[in-house]
Amino acid sequence: MSTKLRAAIVGSTGYGGVELIRFLLAHPYVEITSVISSSASGAPIADGYPHLNQIVTERLDGIDIELIRGKADVVFLATPHGVSIDLSPKLLDAGLKVIDLSGDFRLKDGQVYEQWYKHKPAEASYLDRAVYGLCELFGADVPGAQFISNPGCYPTATILGLAPLAAKRWIDLKSVIVDAKSGVSGAGRGLSQVVHYAEINENFLAYKVNRHQHTPEIEQAIGRLAGEEATITFTTHLVPMTRGIMSTIYVNLKQARSEDEIFDLFRSYYEGRSFVRIRDKGKYPGTKEVFGSNYCDIGLSLDSRTGRLTIISVIDNMVKGAAGQAIQNLNLMMGWDETTGLTFTPVYP
Amino acid sequence: MSTKLRAAIVGSTGYGGVELIRFLLAHPYVEITSVISSSASGAPIADGYPHLNQIVTERLDGIDIELIRGKADVVFLATPHGVSIDLSPKLLDAGLKVIDLSGDFRLKDGQVYEQWYKHKPAEASYLDRAVYGLCELFGADVPGAQFISNPGCYPTATILGLAPLAAKRWIDLKSVIVDAKSGVSGAGRGLSQVVHYAEINENFLAYKVNRHQHTPEIEQAIGRLAGEEATITFTTHLVPMTRGIMSTIYVNLKQARSEDEIFDLFRSYYEGRSFVRIRDKGKYPGTKEVFGSNYCDIGLSLDSRTGRLTIISVIDNMVKGAAGQAIQNLNLMMGWDETTGLTFTPVYP
Amino acid sequence: MSTKLRAAIVGSTGYGGVELIRFLLAHPYVEITSVISSSASGAPIADGYPHLNQIVTERLDGIDIELIRGKADVVFLATPHGVSIDLSPKLLDAGLKVIDLSGDFRLKDGQVYEQWYKHKPAEASYLDRAVYGLCELFGADVPGAQFISNPGCYPTATILGLAPLAAKRWIDLKSVIVDAKSGVSGAGRGLSQVVHYAEINENFLAYKVNRHQHTPEIEQAIGRLAGEEATITFTTHLVPMTRGIMSTIYVNLKQARSEDEIFDLFRSYYEGRSFVRIRDKGKYPGTKEVFGSNYCDIGLSLDSRTGRLTIISVIDNMVKGAAGQAIQNLNLMMGWDETTGLTFTPVYP
Amino acid sequence: MSTKLRAAIVGSTGYGGVELIRFLLAHPYVEITSVISSSASGAPIADGYPHLNQIVTERLDGIDIELIRGKADVVFLATPHGVSIDLSPKLLDAGLKVIDLSGDFRLKDGQVYEQWYKHKPAEASYLDRAVYGLCELFGADVPGAQFISNPGCYPTATILGLAPLAAKRWIDLKSVIVDAKSGVSGAGRGLSQVVHYAEINENFLAYKVNRHQHTPEIEQAIGRLAGEEATITFTTHLVPMTRGIMSTIYVNLKQARSEDEIFDLFRSYYEGRSFVRIRDKGKYPGTKEVFGSNYCDIGLSLDSRTGRLTIISVIDNMVKGAAGQAIQNLNLMMGWDETTGLTFTPVYP
């Protein structure tokens, strides 16, 4: 045990936190040494999550930098936005590695953060140090980094679906429309009427139309890949299911391409990347096909009538959209194989 | 009873058929005199639909034109596509009124039908006689008609969401993208793996991407309203719920408009129409808000960043998207108030 | 309009309240003149329930006895337990008719109320005046009554399933085991973790095992029918669905009976009662077969191996288990046909 | 690879088969060398199960004893009942180890099998060789066995809930009533109306009341533990969810016991068994707390009013109720730690 990397999880009583626990328990090189919650400190974590009975017997710690420094090498932050802004600098200054699952360090421009998150941004020097860990695209930045900003759920599905086209500049960036749908777990464990069972069961909702805070994160990544500014249309919907995100993405091609060219582009772009799976022509992934796993599955359809390309990209929002990608970043950070501890087969049916 | 209009329902053992029964039972001027099924003739309908026990005690009739002529004044066809092509002409020739819920007579151009439905089209003379009954838009054609082609579920939600803009020619018809989502009942009662419970529960799927047969129906109606040809992008998805359709529609405006102008347009266009409800700015309808009812609820968002308009339009696919609109057509046909027998409050929660 | 009975609904912003609205809107002899909420007074009800847009345009009233007296003839209380204890006496003293959907006046013995509800009971004189309105069994008490205590959801399904056997004294009352399951709407609109979507979706839970407050209500009614004291075992479970209750009831017969005898008993006991439907031998009702309607459907199976009888009784908890039965009580109270405004066909699928 | 145990799976295209694949892929000492299907032989398994894309690239084999003998050491049968009766003897005669997940070899008495399964039973000599693999109870029989009959899903949950009491003879076996509820995946992938999405969603159903074929399996095991014949009442229900079984079990104690005595009995009986978790007093497990994992969680409530004990026992029907327990049996058979490859944390939420 003593040779394992010691991990602490701040925000252990949220859904992101317990999903990190599920994955870290299966990781051969890591041990969880502290589960941390500001709200439930002192109680056994299994009190609030009985599925962890006899699996995680630890009591929850409070947030205490010295305590964390004594117990852990790496800290995962699975906290609501706003918390990491103050906490991450302290953890970094204490010499800890930090993987932040919140949105606080994803946007390089503090003003943009403030505009979309309605919260003062992090200090610029720390923003600069945060490596945006979308592993398949920017994974080269991760090895040796001390501080990772883990991508958002919608951005992960969407950016992976757009990346080959953006990087090759095949698409008109002004034409990008992202119609995204998410299971309810993305809203977290906090109670609210919109995710009260009797309200959202047998219901399908749009929310935050044209004002979701993941919009600039997608634009930043696409812009970086394409080398030009991107302004997209982005709509989010809630699906009456627990897990899963689908981004249905519409783009206009700058010049006519055959469907074969497009498939070739995607296949070669993601060659050798274990967690991106391109479906065959005429096949489209359902969210259940990645349930519980770290895969991002992508289907493509070029409409000969309109010349427009439709991209279907799915992930499990709790895994590739949160905890799984965080572990993938840890693997890259530490120089381990990126699939270590992540080779879960999707749970089907 | 003798003064009531006598109605027969062909396809009574499908979901469209039983929903017609639910509505006709509540209609003050109509009585159901024959429930007809080609497959289960002779059995009590409640054998296959126990919720009708003690409510509908009739046995199913087979398809027999003479029998129908003796029993009914109006015939509803809730049959799979292909059936009405042969059956409707016979019923019409027998002097019966016909309301066809299938797709067989919706497309005026037989070649387009054949291309999308993969089935030979109806005879042109009968196609010409079919009145396309999207009541709020083309309801003026219905009074006195003998033969109504009831619109499809996706087209109803989508066309109502686009109509004011198309009729006013405010939008670039080439820019229209429709991202549609439907509950599972739209697939009918016929067994198939995709709607097997364990496959579609906790799943969200795209299907028939760029090749759904409702595409030309939407284009035909939008083109008729705008007076120019429309070619749209149309994607359909399955939601793990039983009822409800949402069309999320993206359009580029031909010239800059304020959000207020757009709301004013929609409100004035649908003024006095009981079944279309425009939500206030910043509010978007969920499908559950129309569950079991004949409403079409519409929300609007103009994105100042992109100048693009997003339209959210929801219906209950079984009601405004099928049986409810068929009754509404009957009401118009007969000169009754269009809401007769249709004032069901949505079932919530 | 002026000749209609004027109804006020206290607790209009709860699920019981909006279900009352749905039914009263369809009632030919009643008009809703006041929707009342202590928490949201002043706001249009459609703000919180957008499905009521353009249907109910009233603003919510606060609780004010004089105002209610001016506006209404009958008051429905769809309030959490504890509220009616104080409010009903005031409304009664003001000369209003009261139909109380809460549990406050169901138990004739105040001590039993206090023991199970953990709340001080109502004053004895008002308890005595409350008529327990399980219409099919005790409906004879209702005509002309001023004050109805509307039965609970679990008790309605359970007591109707047991009544013929209890009344005939065919069963050993000590042997009665009730395994009950409910959709989530029974928990109301108040937020709580157990009915947070991501917690209860894809989950099946037992709760309040051996301590549900509906236990003594069932025992009181069965005891009254049988003329002897009943002590039952009662377990409640949550089903991941919105509406519906099933009580699966196990009883030992005092002496051997044939299955035919038992079916005959049930059929004759409920002869002429529109809302109780006995299934044929070998058929068992699902909750969906009564969805949205006022039916109670019952299936029966006598096990020749054990001599034990299994009774399956289903209702829609929001209708026959709450608002629907309240209307049925109003009908009986006023001398109207008990089915007036209640002939909704179940919504299927 | 060459030192791993080679496993073949017959019935790989059923839900039991793909769940075996998920678990065997995670097993350190086993490799899957043949996925077998009588119906889809020749096709890649990922064609029917896209979640396996890039994970299992093998094509399906047909059923061919010689081929299996060449490729495998152990064969899992995840086949509909009736198939194993003929197939298992051939595989055993070929010297293979066999773990049969079907019901064909669970009942020692062929006549009882015929009566409940309506199918001729297996040959007595092979019935005798089949070891009933309910690991926590009869696991001592498994090491070194060649042929395991893996328990049914309902029996696993039920027998584990009753075993301590039966073994100690604390309960009146005639009083046992089992009210069981299952997610829909238990019905398999074969299409049928009852598990058509629009039929079972928002529905709760009882089925096979007093005639489910798992009844004698439970009676056989309880009888064996208690040393006397057991005749139970057993009812099965379908829950609108994919995975999970709950057995709510009611028993009369032969003599009065305190709740503490009962908890002590359960805790000591299952001491050291990793996969059985006894909840604390007043806590009851939900099915979601074992989702995707091999746990059986048990809650207990003694009703002081009736003296009756209620036992709540939950499993994931696909795991402890099928594939997981099959792997657990393999582990015991091979002398490996019984938890090898099975330490999956439940997927929550």
Side-chain angles (χ1 to χ4, degrees):
Chain A
M1 283 294 178
S2 58
T3 64
K4 288 191 175 181
L5 188 78
R6 299 168 307 153
I9 301 167
V10 184
S12 288
T13 54
Y15 290 152
V18 289
E19 188 70 347
L20 278 166
I21 291 172
R22 181 167 78 94
F23 277 96
L24 288 174
L25 286 169
H27 199 291
Y29 310 146
V30 184
E31 60 177 330
I32 301 170
T33 52
S34 178
V35 283
I36 297 168
S37 166
S38 61
S39 60
S41 169
I45 190 166
D47 278 9
Y49 284 103
H51 74 285
L52 294 178
N53 261 307
Q54 299 179 24
I55 300 175
V56 183
T57 51
E58 276 80 4
R59 286 175 182 273
L60 291 160
D61 289 326
I63 300 180
D64 175 333
I65 304 290
E66 282 312 300
L67 185 74
I68 298 172
R69 181 149 66 170
K71 284 182 139 185
D73 306 306
V74 62
V75 183
F76 292 89
L77 299 190
T79 47
H81 71 77
V83 174
S84 171
I85 286 175
D86 295 324
L87 186 56
S88 282
K90 291 178 190 160
L91 295 166
L92 292 167
D93 292 352
L96 289 155
K97 295 180 205 307
V98 174
I99 298 177
D100 177 17
L101 281 75
S102 85
D104 285 353
F105 288 88
R106 293 183 197 144
L107 300 177
K108 288 300 169 194
D109 183 334
Q111 284 191 300
V112 175
Y113 178 86
E114 193 157 4
Q115 178 189 338
W116 290 85
Y117 282 82
K118 315 294 177 202
H119 192 286
K120 74 166 180 47
E123 210 181 294
S125 64
Y126 289 97
L127 274 180
D128 289 347
R129 290 167 63 183
V131 171
Y132 185 71
L134 216 169
C135 306
E136 283 75 12
L137 307 179
F138 312 121
D141 304 343
V142 177
Q146 189 197 356
F147 184 24
I148 303 295
S149 176
N150 204 56
C153 51
Y154 286 122
T156 296
T158 304
I159 299 165
L160 288 172
L162 282 165
L165 299 160
K168 282 283 185 179
R169 304 190 186 188
W170 282 16
I171 51 171
D172 172 6
L173 291 189
K174 296 240 166 306
S175 76
V176 176
I177 293 175
V178 179
D179 190 282
K181 302 92 176 171
S182 177
V184 170
S185 60
R189 206 183 212 195
L191 303 182
S192 76
Q193 191 181 280
V194 76
V195 294
H196 191 60
Y197 184 89
E199 302 284 321
I200 190 62
N201 180 44
E202 276 289 295
N203 201 354
F204 185 87
L205 280 182
Y207 71 104
K208 293 193 184 176
V209 180
N210 289 322
R211 55 186 188 81
H212 196 287
Q213 71 276 10
H214 285 171
T215 311
E217 183 180 342
I218 297 167
E219 291 175 346
Q220 175 181 281
I222 297 305
R224 177 175 165 191
L225 289 165
E228 55 172 309
E229 213 168 299
T231 306
I232 66 163
T233 290
F234 181 54
T235 310
T236 47
H237 304 78
L238 274 187
V239 186
M241 63 183 188
T242 301
R243 287 167 177 250
I245 277 180
M246 178 182 287
S247 283
T248 308
I249 309 169
Y250 302 92
V251 295
N252 292 340
L253 296 170
K254 282 186 181 162
Q255 62 174 87
R257 305 277 176 182
S258 72
E259 213 166 26
D260 283 343
E261 279 178 284
I262 291 162
F263 274 91
D264 287 348
L265 170 64
F266 272 77
R267 291 224 169 87
S268 65
Y269 192 85
Y270 288 119
E271 197 170 7
R273 305 313 303 237
S274 301
F275 294 124
V276 177
R277 304 188 294 189
I278 310 301
R279 282 284 187 288
D280 288 343
K281 214 179 283 187
K283 306 281 185 187
Y284 308 97
T287 59
K288 199 183 188 93
E289 292 160 19
V290 298
F291 188 100
S293 80
N294 201 47
Y295 292 99
C296 174
D297 285 8
I298 296 173
L300 300 161
S301 173
L302 181 63
D303 186 4
S304 56
R305 299 167 68 247
T306 62
R308 202 173 273 135
L309 178 67
T310 304
I311 305 152
I312 311 274
S313 177
V314 304
I315 59 169
D316 183 326
N317 57 304
M318 302 296 295
V319 188
K320 184 64 180 169
Q325 187 152 253
I327 307 294
Q328 195 179 351
N329 272 308
L330 177 68
N331 289 337
L332 293 176
M333 194 189 238
M334 302 299 295
W336 302 329
D337 184 288
E338 74 173 341
T339 67
T340 310
L342 286 173
T343 54
F344 282 81
T345 301
V347 179
Y348 195 94
Chain B
M1 282 295 178
S2 58
T3 64
K4 288 193 175 180
L5 189 79
R6 299 168 306 153
I9 300 167
V10 183
S12 289
T13 55
Y15 290 151
V18 288
E19 188 71 347
L20 279 166
I21 289 172
R22 181 167 80 94
F23 278 95
L24 289 173
L25 287 169
H27 200 291
Y29 311 145
V30 184
E31 62 177 330
I32 301 170
T33 51
S34 177
V35 284
I36 297 168
S37 165
S38 61
S39 59
S41 168
I45 190 166
D47 278 9
Y49 285 102
H51 74 287
L52 294 177
N53 260 307
Q54 298 178 28
I55 302 175
V56 184
T57 51
E58 276 81 3
R59 287 176 181 273
L60 291 159
D61 289 326
I63 300 179
D64 175 332
I65 305 291
E66 282 312 300
L67 184 73
I68 297 172
R69 180 148 68 169
K71 286 181 139 185
D73 305 307
V74 62
V75 183
F76 293 89
L77 299 190
T79 46
H81 70 77
V83 175
S84 171
I85 286 174
D86 295 325
L87 186 56
S88 283
K90 291 177 190 160
L91 295 166
L92 294 165
D93 292 352
L96 289 154
K97 296 181 203 307
V98 174
I99 298 177
D100 177 18
L101 282 76
S102 85
D104 286 353
F105 288 88
R106 293 183 197 144
L107 301 176
K108 288 301 170 193
D109 183 333
Q111 282 190 303
V112 175
Y113 178 86
E114 192 158 4
Q115 179 190 337
W116 289 86
Y117 283 81
K118 314 293 178 203
H119 192 286
K120 75 167 179 46
E123 211 181 292
S125 64
Y126 289 97
L127 274 180
D128 290 346
R129 291 168 61 182
V131 171
Y132 184 69
L134 216 170
C135 306
E136 283 76 12
L137 308 179
F138 311 121
D141 304 344
V142 177
Q146 188 195 359
F147 183 24
I148 303 295
S149 176
N150 204 55
C153 50
Y154 287 122
T156 296
T158 304
I159 298 165
L160 288 172
L162 282 165
L165 299 160
K168 282 282 182 180
R169 303 190 188 190
W170 282 16
I171 52 171
D172 173 5
L173 291 189
K174 296 238 166 308
S175 75
V176 177
I177 293 176
V178 180
D179 191 283
K181 302 88 176 171
S182 175
V184 170
S185 61
R189 205 182 212 193
L191 303 182
S192 76
Q193 191 182 281
V194 77
V195 295
H196 191 60
Y197 184 89
E199 302 283 322
I200 190 62
N201 180 45
E202 277 287 295
N203 201 355
F204 185 87
L205 279 182
Y207 70 104
K208 291 193 184 176
V209 180
N210 289 322
R211 56 188 187 78
H212 196 288
Q213 71 277 7
H214 285 170
T215 311
E217 184 180 342
I218 297 167
E219 292 175 345
Q220 175 181 280
I222 297 306
R224 179 175 163 190
L225 289 164
E228 55 173 309
E229 211 168 301
T231 306
I232 65 163
T233 290
F234 181 53
T235 310
T236 47
H237 304 79
L238 273 187
V239 185
M241 63 183 188
T242 300
R243 286 167 178 249
I245 277 180
M246 179 182 287
S247 283
T248 308
I249 309 169
Y250 303 92
V251 295
N252 292 339
L253 297 169
K254 281 184 181 164
Q255 61 173 88
R257 304 277 177 184
S258 72
E259 213 166 26
D260 283 343
E261 279 179 283
I262 292 163
F263 273 91
D264 287 348
L265 170 64
F266 272 77
R267 292 225 168 88
S268 64
Y269 193 85
Y270 288 119
E271 197 170 6
R273 306 312 304 237
S274 302
F275 294 125
V276 178
R277 304 187 294 189
I278 310 300
R279 282 286 186 286
D280 288 343
K281 214 180 283 186
K283 307 280 185 186
Y284 307 97
T287 59
K288 198 183 188 94
E289 292 161 19
V290 298
F291 188 101
S293 81
N294 201 47
Y295 292 99
C296 175
D297 285 8
I298 295 174
L300 300 161
S301 173
L302 181 63
D303 185 5
S304 57
R305 299 167 68 247
T306 61
R308 203 173 272 135
L309 178 67
T310 304
I311 305 150
I312 311 275
S313 176
V314 304
I315 59 169
D316 182 326
N317 58 304
M318 302 297 294
V319 189
K320 184 63 179 170
Q325 187 153 252
I327 308 293
Q328 194 179 353
N329 272 307
L330 177 68
N331 289 338
L332 293 176
M333 194 189 240
M334 301 299 295
W336 303 329
D337 184 287
E338 74 172 340
T339 67
T340 311
L342 286 173
T343 53
F344 282 82
T345 301
V347 180
Y348 194 95
Chain C
M1 281 295 179
S2 58
T3 64
K4 288 192 176 181
L5 189 78
R6 298 170 306 153
I9 302 167
V10 183
S12 288
T13 55
Y15 290 152
V18 288
E19 189 70 345
L20 279 166
I21 290 172
R22 180 167 80 94
F23 278 96
L24 289 173
L25 286 170
H27 199 292
Y29 311 145
V30 184
E31 61 177 330
I32 302 170
T33 52
S34 178
V35 284
I36 297 168
S37 165
S38 60
S39 59
S41 169
I45 190 167
D47 279 8
Y49 285 103
H51 75 286
L52 294 178
N53 261 307
Q54 298 179 27
I55 301 174
V56 183
T57 51
E58 276 80 4
R59 286 177 183 273
L60 290 160
D61 289 327
I63 300 180
D64 174 333
I65 304 291
E66 281 312 300
L67 185 74
I68 298 172
R69 179 149 65 170
K71 285 181 139 186
D73 306 306
V74 62
V75 184
F76 292 89
L77 299 189
T79 47
H81 69 78
V83 174
S84 172
I85 286 175
D86 295 325
L87 187 55
S88 282
K90 293 177 190 161
L91 295 166
L92 292 166
D93 291 352
L96 290 155
K97 296 181 203 306
V98 174
I99 299 178
D100 177 17
L101 281 76
S102 84
D104 286 352
F105 288 87
R106 292 183 197 143
L107 300 177
K108 289 298 169 195
D109 183 335
Q111 282 191 301
V112 175
Y113 178 86
E114 192 158 3
Q115 178 190 338
W116 289 86
Y117 282 82
K118 315 292 179 204
H119 192 286
K120 74 166 181 45
E123 209 181 295
S125 65
Y126 290 96
L127 274 180
D128 289 347
R129 290 167 62 182
V131 171
Y132 185 70
L134 217 171
C135 307
E136 283 75 11
L137 308 179
F138 311 120
D141 304 344
V142 177
Q146 189 196 359
F147 184 24
I148 303 294
S149 176
N150 205 56
C153 51
Y154 287 121
T156 296
T158 305
I159 299 165
L160 288 172
L162 282 166
L165 299 160
K168 282 282 184 181
R169 304 190 188 189
W170 282 17
I171 51 172
D172 172 6
L173 290 189
K174 297 237 164 309
S175 75
V176 176
I177 293 175
V178 180
D179 190 282
K181 302 90 175 171
S182 176
V184 170
S185 60
R189 206 183 210 192
L191 303 182
S192 76
Q193 191 181 280
V194 76
V195 294
H196 191 59
Y197 184 88
E199 302 283 322
I200 189 62
N201 180 45
E202 277 288 295
N203 201 355
F204 186 87
L205 280 182
Y207 70 105
K208 292 193 185 177
V209 180
N210 288 323
R211 56 187 188 81
H212 196 287
Q213 72 277 9
H214 285 171
T215 310
E217 183 180 344
I218 298 168
E219 291 175 346
Q220 175 181 279
I222 297 306
R224 178 175 164 190
L225 290 164
E228 55 173 308
E229 211 169 302
T231 306
I232 66 164
T233 289
F234 181 54
T235 310
T236 48
H237 304 78
L238 273 188
V239 185
M241 63 183 188
T242 300
R243 286 167 179 252
I245 278 180
M246 179 182 288
S247 284
T248 308
I249 309 168
Y250 302 92
V251 295
N252 292 340
L253 297 169
K254 282 185 181 161
Q255 62 174 88
R257 305 277 177 183
S258 73
E259 212 165 29
D260 283 343
E261 279 179 283
I262 292 164
F263 273 91
D264 287 348
L265 170 64
F266 272 77
R267 292 226 168 86
S268 64
Y269 192 84
Y270 288 119
E271 197 170 6
R273 306 312 304 236
S274 300
F275 294 125
V276 177
R277 304 187 293 190
I278 310 300
R279 283 285 186 287
D280 287 343
K281 213 180 283 186
K283 306 280 184 187
Y284 308 96
T287 60
K288 200 185 188 94
E289 292 160 20
V290 297
F291 187 101
S293 80
N294 200 47
Y295 292 98
C296 174
D297 284 8
I298 296 173
L300 300 161
S301 174
L302 181 64
D303 186 6
S304 57
R305 299 167 68 248
T306 61
R308 201 173 273 134
L309 178 67
T310 304
I311 305 151
I312 311 275
S313 176
V314 303
I315 60 169
D316 183 326
N317 57 304
M318 303 296 295
V319 189
K320 184 63 179 168
Q325 187 153 252
I327 307 295
Q328 195 179 352
N329 273 307
L330 177 68
N331 289 338
L332 293 176
M333 193 188 239
M334 301 299 294
W336 302 329
D337 184 287
E338 74 173 340
T339 67
T340 310
L342 287 173
T343 54
F344 282 81
T345 302
V347 180
Y348 195 97
Chain D
M1 283 293 180
S2 58
T3 64
K4 289 192 175 181
L5 189 79
R6 297 169 307 153
I9 301 167
V10 183
S12 289
T13 55
Y15 290 153
V18 288
E19 188 71 346
L20 278 166
I21 290 172
R22 181 167 80 93
F23 277 96
L24 289 173
L25 286 169
H27 199 292
Y29 310 147
V30 184
E31 62 177 329
I32 301 170
T33 52
S34 178
V35 283
I36 298 168
S37 165
S38 60
S39 59
S41 168
I45 189 167
D47 279 9
Y49 284 103
H51 75 286
L52 294 178
N53 261 307
Q54 299 179 28
I55 302 173
V56 183
T57 51
E58 276 81 4
R59 285 174 183 275
L60 291 159
D61 289 325
I63 300 179
D64 175 333
I65 304 291
E66 281 312 300
L67 184 73
I68 298 173
R69 178 148 69 170
K71 285 181 138 184
D73 305 306
V74 61
V75 183
F76 292 89
L77 299 191
T79 47
H81 70 77
V83 174
S84 171
I85 287 175
D86 295 324
L87 187 56
S88 283
K90 291 177 191 162
L91 295 166
L92 293 166
D93 291 352
L96 289 154
K97 295 179 204 307
V98 174
I99 298 177
D100 177 18
L101 281 76
S102 85
D104 285 354
F105 288 88
R106 293 183 196 143
L107 301 177
K108 289 299 169 194
D109 183 333
Q111 281 191 303
V112 175
Y113 178 87
E114 192 158 4
Q115 178 190 337
W116 289 85
Y117 282 81
K118 314 296 178 200
H119 192 286
K120 73 166 181 45
E123 210 180 294
S125 65
Y126 290 97
L127 274 180
D128 290 347
R129 290 167 61 182
V131 171
Y132 185 69
L134 217 170
C135 306
E136 283 75 12
L137 307 179
F138 311 121
D141 304 344
V142 177
Q146 189 195 359
F147 184 24
I148 303 296
S149 177
N150 204 57
C153 51
Y154 286 121
T156 295
T158 305
I159 299 164
L160 288 171
L162 282 166
L165 299 160
K168 281 282 183 182
R169 302 188 189 191
W170 282 15
I171 51 172
D172 172 6
L173 290 189
K174 295 239 167 308
S175 75
V176 177
I177 292 176
V178 179
D179 190 283
K181 303 89 174 172
S182 176
V184 170
S185 61
R189 205 182 211 192
L191 303 182
S192 76
Q193 192 182 280
V194 76
V195 293
H196 192 59
Y197 184 89
E199 302 284 321
I200 190 63
N201 180 45
E202 277 288 295
N203 201 355
F204 185 87
L205 278 182
Y207 70 105
K208 291 193 184 177
V209 180
N210 288 323
R211 57 187 187 80
H212 196 288
Q213 71 276 8
H214 285 171
T215 311
E217 184 181 341
I218 297 167
E219 292 175 345
Q220 175 181 280
I222 297 305
R224 179 176 164 190
L225 289 164
E228 55 172 308
E229 212 169 300
T231 306
I232 65 164
T233 289
F234 181 54
T235 310
T236 48
H237 304 78
L238 272 187
V239 185
M241 63 183 189
T242 301
R243 286 168 179 249
I245 277 180
M246 180 183 286
S247 283
T248 308
I249 309 169
Y250 302 93
V251 295
N252 292 339
L253 296 170
K254 282 185 180 163
Q255 62 173 89
R257 305 277 176 183
S258 72
E259 213 167 28
D260 283 343
E261 278 178 285
I262 291 163
F263 273 91
D264 287 348
L265 170 65
F266 272 78
R267 292 225 169 86
S268 64
Y269 192 84
Y270 288 119
E271 197 171 5
R273 304 315 303 236
S274 302
F275 293 124
V276 177
R277 303 188 295 189
I278 309 300
R279 282 286 186 286
D280 288 343
K281 214 180 283 187
K283 307 280 184 187
Y284 308 96
T287 60
K288 199 183 188 93
E289 292 160 19
V290 299
F291 188 100
S293 80
N294 202 47
Y295 292 99
C296 175
D297 285 8
I298 295 173
L300 300 162
S301 173
L302 181 63
D303 186 5
S304 56
R305 299 167 68 247
T306 61
R308 202 173 271 135
L309 179 68
T310 304
I311 305 151
I312 311 276
S313 176
V314 304
I315 59 168
D316 182 326
N317 58 305
M318 302 297 294
V319 189
K320 184 63 180 170
Q325 186 152 253
I327 308 294
Q328 194 179 351
N329 272 308
L330 177 68
N331 289 337
L332 293 176
M333 193 188 236
M334 302 299 295
W336 302 329
D337 183 288
E338 75 173 341
T339 68
T340 310
L342 286 174
T343 53
F344 283 82
T345 301
V347 180
Y348 194 96

